[in-house]
């Protein structure tokens, strides 16, 4: 899964009724097949994310 700065990230809920989280990629760390993404979520907090199967990346 490849992402670039400015792409949108949508994290789907893992259980029924869980809300989705959305944010913007502000930095890509590392290289290769599994880079770490620094994401600023819509609620304002930032986190380092290793995208998994519950993650959708929408390219800018």
């Amino acid at each position: 899964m490849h992402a670039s700065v400015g792409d949108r990230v949508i994290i789907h809920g893992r259980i029924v009724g869980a809300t989705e989280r959305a944010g913007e990629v502000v930095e890509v760390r590392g290289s290769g097949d599994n880079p770490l993404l620094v994401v600023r979520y819509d609620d304002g907090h930032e986190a380092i994310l290793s995208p998994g199967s519950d993650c959708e990346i929408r390219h800018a």
Side-chain angles (χ1 to χ4, degrees), residues 3-54:
S4 302
V5 173
D7 289 349
R8 296 285 297 167
V9 174
I10 310 296
I11 307 294
H12 301 287
R14 291 182 166 201
I15 59 174
V16 175
T19 59
E20 292 184 338
R21 295 184 335 194
E24 179 180 349
V25 176
V26 294
E27 182 181 347
V28 179
R29 295 184 181 177
S31 60
D33 293 333
N34 292 325
L36 297 175
L37 307 177
V38 178
V39 177
R40 181 177 300 124
Y41 290 98
D42 292 345
D43 65 3
H45 83 274
E46 290 186 7
I48 296 176
L49 172 70
S50 177
S53 61
D54 58 344

